[in-house]
Amino acid sequence: MVLIAPSILSADFSCLGKEIVKLNDAGADLIHIDVMDGVFVPNLTFGAPVVKSIRPYSKLPFDVHLMVEKPSILIKDFADAGADFITVHLECKEEIPFLISLIKKEKKKVGLSIKPNTKVSDILPYIPDIDLILVMSVEPGFGGQKFQQEAIKKIADLKELIGRKKVLISVDGGINDVTAPACVYAGADILVAGSYVFKNKPYKKAIEKLKR
Ligand code: DX5
Ligand code: ZN
């Protein structure tokens, strides 16, 4: 069954702890945390202290998506704060093998993300060394954008390329009850959803609808 990772980018930040509890109780499978540095993307969000402060509110895996130019200086901090998956962008400014080794050193699951204009083939060399591929179906930076259909083919191509290897395919951006089925059919294991979950209360209903 597909896993649902609500993105707290669309949560009520004035009560983030309570929001995490609600997502936990609503049947979320992971908590997706969008970290932005204002450089890699034109937006700024959470640092490791925020992750640390919300960690006690749920035992669900924290899926930290680093939309930052230089992840290396942040990996240990997010690992210490309680991240379970740490995803970096293939398009960031640092060497990918180095970043993979840093995440592995912290004994965390390694994710690699590709933006809409990055080819699936660019990620191939790293597949044996990673746990998750995050296919962006919008330009990273903001919630509430329109799903880009090209992501579907990317997911299907990745599914075929991955074969029997145990690498999860996650898709992020514009996921709702209309776009989710095609992603799952193409082979997505995880759906990241921000505005859809937070705009359709109760969260349990929204999460169930995506799973269906
Ligand atoms: C965008 C973030 C997403 C975002 C998705 O850069 O990576 O995780 O929160 O939001 P929606 O689901 O609203 O497109
Ligand atoms: Zn994200």
Side-chain angles (χ1 to χ4, degrees):
M1 207 210 255
V2 71
L3 303 176
I4 308 298
S7 160
I8 58 166
L9 187 60
S10 297
D12 179 353
F13 295 162
S14 71
C15 53
L16 211 39
K18 276 190 196 153
E19 292 275 63
I20 304 284
V21 172
K22 279 192 204 162
L23 293 172
N24 185 94
D25 298 348
D29 298 291
L30 305 105
I31 303 292
H32 186 87
I33 303 170
D34 288 305
V35 175
M36 306 185 187
D37 65 353
V39 183
F40 184 75
V41 290
N43 197 2
L44 198 57
T45 58
F46 322 102
V50 175
V51 174
K52 191 178 174 197
S53 72
I54 57 176
R55 184 64 277 188
Y57 290 88
S58 171
K59 289 198 163 63
L60 289 176
F62 276 8
D63 176 27
V64 174
H65 176 192
L66 296 180
M67 284 161 274
V68 306
E69 223 173 62
K70 293 184 176 171
S72 65
I73 48 165
L74 299 171
I75 287 168
K76 191 180 185 311
D77 288 351
F78 279 101
D80 289 346
D84 296 284
F85 285 83
I86 299 182
T87 295
V88 297
H89 266 269
L90 196 64
E91 306 87 357
C92 76
K93 284 272 153 77
E94 295 182 307
E95 292 296 322
I96 298 300
F98 171 57
L99 297 173
I100 292 175
S101 73
L102 288 181
I103 300 169
K104 285 195 168 165
K105 198 173 143 206
E106 299 301 324
K107 299 194 167 45
K108 302 299 173 186
K109 302 260 190 225
V110 182
L112 254 189
S113 183
I114 48 171
K115 298 207 282 186
N117 291 331
T118 302
K119 295 190 299 291
V120 154
S121 55
D122 294 349
I123 215 168
L124 287 188
Y126 308 109
I127 287 181
D129 300 314
I130 63 178
D131 302 288
L132 176 144
I133 299 172
L134 181 64
V135 176
M136 291 305 300
S137 38
V138 298
E139 273 307 317
F142 301 91
Q145 302 180 74
K146 190 172 175 283
F147 181 84
Q148 298 186 16
Q149 292 294 336
E150 295 76 18
I152 307 279
K153 187 173 181 324
K154 280 182 159 179
I155 296 168
D157 289 349
L158 276 168
K159 189 76 185 170
E160 205 175 310
L161 290 164
I162 286 170
R164 289 173 176 218
K165 285 184 239 40
K166 271 200 161 178
V167 181
L168 295 165
I169 302 177
S170 183
V171 55
D172 186 1
I175 297 295
N176 56 37
D177 54 346
V178 176
T179 57
C183 294
V184 176
Y185 186 71
D189 302 292
I190 302 174
L191 302 176
V192 176
S195 36
Y196 180 75
V197 170
F198 287 94
K199 282 191 181 151
N200 287 287
K201 293 189 174 71
Y203 302 156
K204 188 170 169 23
K205 223 168 165 188
I207 290 172
E208 273 170 9
K209 208 156 177 196
L210 289 178
K211 284 200 184 187
R212 251 187 278 129

